[in-house]
Amino acid sequence: MDRDGGPRVPEQRAPAVPSDTGELRFSVLGPVRAWRGGQALASGSPQQRALLAALLLRDGRTATAGQLIDALWGDEPPSQALAAVRTYASRLRKVLGSGVLVSESGGYALRTRQDALDLNVARELTADAEKARSAGHRAQARALINKSLNLWDGEPLASVPGPYAETQRARLEEWRLQLTETRLDLDLELGCHAEAVSELTALTAAQPLRERLRELLMLALYRSGRQAEALAVYADTRRLLADELGVDPRPELAGLQQRILRADAELARPVEEAAPVQALTRPAQLPATVPDFTGRVPFVRELGDRLAAAEGSVMAVSALAGIGGVGKTTLAVHVAHAARPHFPDGQLYVDLQGAGARAAEPETVLGTFLRALGTPDTAIPDSLDERSALYRSALDGRRILVLLDNARDAAQIRPLLPGTPGCAALVTSRSRMVDLAGAHLVDLDVMSPEEALQLFTRIVGEERVTSERKAALDVVAACGFLPLAIRIAASRLASRRTWTVSVLAAKLADERRRLDELQAGDLAVKATFELGYGALEPPQARAFRLLGLADGPDISLAAAAAVLDLPRQDTEDLLESLVDTSLVESAAPGRYRYHDLVRLYARACAERDEQPPGERASALSRLLDFYLATAARAYALERPGDRLVEHLEPTAYEGLPFTDRHDAQDWLYAEANCLLACVRQSSGADTLRRSVDLLWAALDLGESGANSKEYEATAAAVLDSARERGDRWAEGRALMTLANVHSVAGRFDQADREAEQAMRLAEATRDLPPSCWAPNVRGIIALYQNRHADGERHLTTAIENFRRDGDRPGEASALCNLSRIRLATGRTDSAVALSQQGIDIYDSMGHTLRGANGRYALGLALAQGGQLAEATDRLHEALEVFRDSRQRLWEGMTLFRLAEVDVSARKMAQAASSAEMALTMLRDIGGEWRRGNVLTVLGRALNGIGQTGRAQVCWRDALAIYDALGSPEANEVRALLTPLAAA
């Protein structure tokens, strides 16, 4: 092999390529083919392709006639071999054009560009990948290796005869395996261990004696938290090598087993994480200090001394506490700048937003800090504990100051504290952190009258203050000596040269006009917002007030237009003008948000300045209408013909139009947090029914995984509200949404109770949708719980009710579910027929997503009937739709079912790969019962490829799940484990 891993060729410089060869391209990493531009060229008979391949693999060097005869026929050439070679060469010359295939020195050579051959491109990409990896650019290296591997198109030199082709084919296959191992190694270095397990499982099945693949699989499993399986891989490998070759595993593999047994901490981290300090990024994130910083001399000295003492000692933490506006951040930033020489490796800063309703999450902050310290995104772990540990490792040996501003409480900042000597942390908070162990606590009070006057003078100017000293003292007294209030008042005066200090003092002396914030406490900070609000034009002020009413984390331009009841262009103009005043932030193009405290102030203004009466309620009603109408359109696009949209509460405001279902999905998931916040906010008496309908119309959020927990919490809140208000209609629908989400999560008993209650309420209120969907849900739950007679009864009821409502897609859903019951009770032909009926209905209505559910059911029926190939086709059709629709639960379940079919077809390696992907997909959705099912089939597949140790681990995990749930499947798994235990 050459340095790039490709086949070796003799060292001989190729002559220059003629300039008239056009855009010829050739491939050998698959079938031997040739193209000119985009047009395929005829490459002739197998022997003619063998001649072309032999010349291509010589990289432009001349091959003699004898060498070509040996390449094509080996030791047994035909009697007319030389004539045949000449004939093949003549035909190729006609196909390729003049100047490409040349005769010289009794032989032949190809004159082409170096990059005309896919093998040469692959070599170049591999060489670039090696350089990138050596330079520490692992993500780039992986991308380049993937590009190289993507050039393969099946077996290299496919169907090309001759001993030379056979030798080269073996070398190229070996090179591809080496490249795959390199790419998988990079996957693990970049933290993609969970994703690598599936591919490695399939590769170890195909290459059982390749120890490097086994080593990578052990490492991937260990980093995925599956230590027992990793050790089982080693046991399986040792047994296989002893049985097949009579040898022990190589030292690297044995060493890895020992490190796993020791729970080696370095082993659990990707390479990028193992030495995070190598990226010697020097963060300098401190905000600018104010040029007119005043007073606080004792505090500056005290904190400065503490920070200076941190060098070479234990990590120092100082926590400043005080009311809002007292100057905690200003003091901390000033002290931090003064202490920079003691922290030459950098300074980190974050506003933790602890004073607001949505304080910053430590995981998010740690991600930001790790990036600032040079950690690549791909190396940043998911969990809080892992991020915190990596953060402390990144700070080890460095002297860095961390300023944690506006903290909520000690629990929020503990994961953010450095853990090594030489580092220090400054914390500001409105709460006194008495439960922060080892912290130096500083209570910051308002300024003294002298300090307050000094600050006022520095901002306004000594000349103006000296002449009106008494008025100045009145101003700072009216400000309660609170630094933020003083700064606001002084800044107003400084920007109005025609005002005197006495004018300002008179304004503040009028208590009816004095800002509430200047009195003390948290309200003090609202003064800064009043200044901006008071300068707004009436349309701007109305927009500022009303848009602050919405509970979501931000608001889209379309939703804002609904709140304001204005055209989108006018709304955008207003919002952009508010961004210019700094009262509103532009979160992203077309999205806007308030700082938490500004939102509170805007709501106070809305309550105080409401014009006309009822405007606040009308604005929120329009927002609810907007979300409900738009969600209903998205629902209808995803489920053509579904009658639910006809039973939703009417809306007075139109929703957004969508061009296709993908646009609708994008909108739904982008607006998930805001939509669910609107549901919670709208659960009052007048809007309760619309809010529960919005929740039902957005039910995909409950099945997606990403928003399932928030969806569930919102549904529970709406249910409580419906019960408090005695609205049985809303209660029934809220129960239906909860039954759906609990069924998806695998909490079947709870879901069944809720669906049963929804059915009773639907009968009492004559509400058709729950009377249809509740028995449908109960039927599938009964299937999961092996209550087949109950399931058939429920689903028959569902079918009757759907037909009564004229809901054809609903009827199809119940038919497909009934097919599952028939399948479980051995009536395979009926199951196939029912699922096909459902598919026919779905297809006739253009119902793509639910049509995939039908194909899923049909695939199961066909598999049980022994039609495995057809079952696989139907399941793959369903899988493609589920992936396209971002339905993670159903994508994972379809992968699981494909694994079951592959086990039946004895395609064990493929089954193991599908089951591994299903485990990854269902990692945080679907519930433990489904996970137990996947582990069971994964164990069967692993056992089938000889990895009995891993199989046992999977079955034991599944048994623990089933025992905890009291599931009858536990008996099946015990039976699987019994022969292994006896052996």
Side-chain angles (χ1 to χ4, degrees):
M1 306 289 282
D2 67 11
R3 66 180 179 87
D4 295 320
R8 287 193 181 275
V9 290
E11 295 296 327
Q12 178 182 344
R13 184 176 300 276
V17 180
S19 60
D20 59 348
T21 57
E23 296 180 358
L24 279 174
R25 291 184 297 111
F26 301 92
S27 72
V28 293
L29 301 178
V32 176
R33 289 173 292 190
W35 296 267
R36 185 182 301 281
Q39 182 178 3
L41 303 179
S43 54
S45 66
Q47 285 77 15
Q48 186 170 309
R49 293 197 302 275
L51 177 68
L52 177 60
L55 293 172
L56 287 169
L57 292 173
R58 294 186 69 82
D59 206 16
R61 290 176 291 275
T62 300
T64 66
Q67 290 172 326
L68 292 173
I69 290 171
D70 287 343
L72 269 65
W73 294 286
D75 295 333
E76 298 180 357
S79 58
Q80 300 298 317
L82 180 59
V85 166
R86 289 171 177 166
T87 299
Y88 299 149
S90 175
R91 291 172 181 170
L92 284 173
R93 188 177 288 114
K94 291 178 182 177
V95 171
L96 301 177
S98 62
V100 178
L101 178 58
V102 298
S103 303
E104 59 182 30
S105 305
Y108 300 93
L110 282 174
R111 300 286 182 258
T112 61
R113 298 186 319 274
Q114 188 72 11
D115 62 354
L117 179 62
D118 58 357
L119 174 59
N120 292 336
V121 176
R123 290 171 178 163
E124 189 64 30
L125 288 168
T126 304
D128 291 343
E130 290 174 357
K131 294 174 185 175
R133 191 177 190 183
S134 298
H137 306 311
R138 292 181 176 83
Q140 181 184 358
R142 179 176 62 173
L144 290 167
I145 291 290
N146 271 328
K147 283 186 178 180
S148 180
L149 286 169
N150 288 338
L151 294 173
W152 261 266
D153 184 16
E155 182 184 50
L157 304 174
S159 303
V160 173
Y164 179 77
E166 190 62 37
T167 300
Q168 294 300 321
R169 187 158 36 242
R171 290 179 178 177
L172 290 170
E173 284 287 10
E174 173 62 23
W175 187 38
R176 174 158 60 171
L177 270 174
Q178 292 174 1
L179 288 178
T180 302
E181 288 174 343
T182 300
R183 197 258 302 149
L184 286 164
D185 200 13
L186 286 165
D187 284 346
L188 299 189
E189 290 180 7
L190 291 167
C192 302
H193 31 267
E195 295 82 354
V197 171
S198 173
E199 184 176 359
L200 281 164
T201 298
L203 285 170
T204 53
Q207 303 287 333
L209 298 176
R210 202 170 182 95
E211 292 183 67
R212 177 57 179 155
L213 289 173
R214 299 272 182 155
E215 183 179 345
L216 291 169
L217 177 57
M218 288 175 65
L219 187 57
L221 286 166
Y222 180 70
R223 287 182 179 167
S224 300
R226 298 159 71 177
Q227 180 179 2
E229 282 189 67
L231 293 170
V233 170
Y234 179 79
D236 290 338
T237 305
R238 183 174 59 181
R239 186 184 63 253
L240 178 67
L241 291 174
D243 292 346
E244 297 289 332
L245 304 176
V247 298
D248 291 327
R250 62 181 186 159
E252 293 86 349
L253 201 62
L256 178 59
Q257 183 221 20
Q258 291 302 311
R259 294 180 71 187
I260 291 174
L261 287 170
R262 293 194 307 269
D264 189 326
E266 288 297 317
L267 191 63
R269 289 199 297 238
V271 169
E272 289 278 341
E273 298 177 14
V277 296
Q278 290 179 356
L280 294 177
T281 304
R282 182 181 178 275
Q285 297 183 342
L286 294 177
T289 187
V290 293
D292 48 26
F293 181 85
T294 302
R296 308 297 201 188
V297 174
F299 295 111
V300 171
R301 184 185 302 115
E302 177 184 0
L303 292 169
D305 291 344
R306 293 280 301 178
L307 294 178
E311 186 176 344
S313 69
V314 295
M315 190 271 299
V317 180
S318 297
L320 286 73
I323 62 172
V326 80
K328 302 180 295 295
T329 299
T330 302
L331 173 60
V333 170
H334 180 80
V335 170
H337 274 283
R340 287 182 64 184
H342 299 290
F343 301 95
D345 295 320
Q347 306 84 40
L348 296 168
Y349 171 85
V350 65
D351 178 3
L352 294 169
Q353 304 176 28
R358 294 182 297 277
E361 294 294 335
E363 301 100 300
T364 304
V365 176
L366 285 168
T368 303
F369 278 179
L370 286 167
R371 293 183 191 96
L373 292 168
T375 307
D377 283 354
T378 54
I380 296 175
D382 292 331
S383 74
L384 173 60
D385 289 343
E386 287 178 314
R387 288 190 178 191
S388 186
L390 179 57
Y391 167 67
R392 293 191 296 272
S393 298
L395 295 180
D396 186 31
R398 305 172 78 175
R399 284 151 54 193
I400 287 182
L401 173 63
V402 183
L403 177 46
L404 304 172
D405 191 20
N406 194 13
R408 178 183 56 203
D409 51 30
Q412 184 189 26
I413 68 167
R414 283 193 188 100
L416 310 178
L417 296 177
T420 55
C423 292
L426 265 178
V427 183
T428 73
S429 176
R430 298 188 182 191
S431 302
R432 196 168 188 269
M433 298 196 175
V434 294
D435 54 343
L436 188 60
H440 174 65
L441 302 181
V442 177
D443 292 325
L444 199 59
D445 201 351
V446 295
M447 285 180 153
S448 68
E450 293 78 15
E451 287 178 331
L453 183 60
Q454 186 181 5
L455 174 60
F456 185 81
T457 302
R458 286 193 173 183
I459 298 172
V460 174
E462 187 169 354
E463 181 179 350
R464 296 175 75 182
V465 174
T466 301
S467 62
E468 296 184 272
R469 180 177 175 82
K470 185 181 181 303
L473 286 171
D474 290 340
V475 169
V476 297
C479 291
F481 308 110
L482 196 68
L484 179 59
I486 295 166
R487 182 174 295 279
I488 293 169
S491 298
R492 292 184 69 194
L493 183 60
S495 65
R496 291 163 173 79
R497 303 306 300 177
T498 60
W499 282 15
T500 64
V501 181
S502 298
V503 169
L504 177 61
K507 289 179 177 293
L508 293 177
D510 183 354
E511 292 186 356
R512 293 171 301 174
R513 298 175 55 85
R514 187 189 302 171
L515 302 174
D516 292 339
E517 297 87 322
L518 297 180
Q519 294 180 4
D522 289 344
L523 294 178
V525 293
K526 291 187 179 179
T528 189
F529 312 140
E530 184 71 50
L531 292 173
Y533 179 69
L536 297 178
E537 296 293 330
Q540 292 176 308
R542 174 179 179 269
F544 175 73
R545 293 192 304 269
L546 295 183
L547 294 174
L549 296 173
D551 271 352
D554 60 6
I555 191 166
S556 67
L557 179 58
V563 171
L564 300 178
D565 198 19
L566 290 173
R568 287 183 62 162
Q569 186 59 57
D570 294 347
T571 302
E572 184 174 18
D573 291 343
L574 281 172
L575 281 164
E576 289 299 324
S577 70
L578 290 173
V579 170
D580 291 339
T581 68
S582 299
L583 287 172
V584 171
E585 300 173 17
S586 178
R591 301 198 75 86
Y592 301 87
R593 68 185 176 202
Y594 287 76
H595 182 279
D596 293 335
L597 295 177
V598 179
R599 185 196 300 273
L600 293 176
Y601 173 72
R603 290 179 174 181
C605 291
E607 183 176 355
R608 181 189 67 195
D609 303 335
E610 183 174 30
Q611 292 291 337
E615 186 177 38
R616 285 178 294 160
S618 297
L620 289 175
S621 180
R622 288 192 297 270
L623 179 64
L624 176 60
D625 276 357
F626 165 76
Y627 279 129
L628 176 54
T630 308
R633 287 187 174 186
Y635 185 98
L637 268 177
E638 195 69 80
R639 301 165 178 81
D642 193 310
R643 288 275 298 160
L644 176 66
V645 294
E646 305 297 328
H647 295 289
L648 298 176
E649 286 287 284
T651 60
Y653 195 91
E654 291 186 359
L656 290 175
F658 298 112
T659 56
D660 57 39
R661 54 186 289 268
H662 295 99
D663 287 343
Q665 283 178 350
D666 290 342
W667 176 86
L668 181 64
Y669 291 111
E671 292 289 338
N673 291 329
C674 296
L675 183 151
L676 293 175
C678 181
V679 172
R680 290 191 296 271
Q681 190 175 17
S682 304
S683 56
D686 294 338
T687 53
L688 174 61
R689 292 193 172 190
R690 277 182 289 159
S691 72
V692 74
D693 277 358
L694 173 55
L695 194 63
W696 198 342
L699 64 85
D700 281 345
L701 297 178
E703 298 183 6
S704 68
N707 307 101
S708 299
K709 291 181 180 178
E710 188 176 359
Y711 184 95
E712 179 182 352
T714 303
V718 171
L719 176 61
D720 289 343
S721 180
R723 285 172 171 167
E724 287 173 9
R725 288 163 175 75
D727 190 332
R728 302 177 73 196
W729 185 94
E731 181 183 353
R733 294 197 173 196
L735 282 165
M736 196 62 247
T737 63
L738 272 175
N740 281 327
V741 77
H742 288 147
S743 176
V744 167
R747 296 190 284 274
F748 300 127
D749 289 340
Q750 187 175 356
D752 191 55
R753 288 194 299 271
E754 289 158 348
E756 182 182 15
Q757 294 174 47
M759 285 177 65
R760 289 202 303 267
L761 289 168
E763 291 173 4
T765 59
R766 297 186 178 182
D767 188 16
L768 269 175
S771 69
C772 298
W773 287 104
N776 195 40
V777 169
R778 296 195 73 193
I780 202 67
I781 290 172
L783 167 69
Y784 293 150
Q785 296 182 331
N786 297 313
R787 296 184 288 107
H788 301 133
D790 289 345
E792 182 136 2
R793 185 177 70 255
H794 292 318
L795 290 169
T796 300
T797 299
I799 291 169
E800 292 172 355
N801 290 348
F802 279 127
R803 286 173 176 167
R804 182 157 53 93
D805 190 31
D807 191 331
R808 295 280 285 157
E811 177 189 347
S813 173
L815 286 168
C816 291
N817 288 337
L818 183 58
S819 81
R820 303 274 303 277
I821 295 285
R822 299 282 171 86
L823 189 64
T825 52
R827 292 172 283 177
T828 305
D829 291 342
S830 175
V832 171
L834 286 169
S835 56
Q836 189 61 60
Q837 285 180 46
I839 292 172
D840 291 343
I841 293 173
Y842 284 138
D843 289 350
S844 69
M845 308 189 79
H847 220 304
T848 305
L849 176 58
R850 295 308 167 200
N853 288 113
R855 284 165 174 79
Y856 175 91
L858 179 57
L860 299 186
L862 292 170
Q864 187 160 310
Q867 302 177 59
L868 301 184
E870 293 85 347
T872 299
D873 289 343
R874 299 295 83 73
L875 289 171
H876 274 295
E877 289 169 2
L879 180 63
E880 184 178 349
V881 174
F882 291 141
R883 280 178 175 159
D884 185 55
S885 302
R886 288 175 277 190
Q887 293 289 318
R888 285 183 54 216
L889 171 69
W890 287 106
E891 181 181 347
M893 289 304 297
T894 308
L895 287 165
F896 159 63
R897 297 301 187 182
L898 281 167
E900 284 189 320
V901 174
D902 287 335
V903 166
S904 299
R906 309 303 300 168
K907 298 177 181 177
M908 297 302 189
Q910 190 168 306
S913 179
S914 294
E916 282 287 358
M917 287 189 285
L919 268 186
T920 300
M921 194 59 55
L922 298 173
R923 190 159 36 192
D924 55 359
I925 190 174
E928 286 294 282
W929 180 75
R930 290 185 175 97
R931 183 169 175 269
N933 293 343
V934 179
L935 284 168
T936 302
V937 77
L938 175 58
R940 291 182 183 276
L942 293 171
N943 192 53
I945 59 177
Q947 297 186 21
T948 53
R950 269 187 77 192
Q952 234 177 341
V953 172
C954 291
W955 287 336
R956 284 173 183 152
D957 288 347
L959 182 59
I961 290 171
Y962 292 144
D963 281 343
L965 296 174
S967 299
E969 290 85 356
N971 295 326
E972 173 194 349
V973 179
R974 283 195 184 90
L976 291 171
L977 283 165
T978 301
L980 290 174

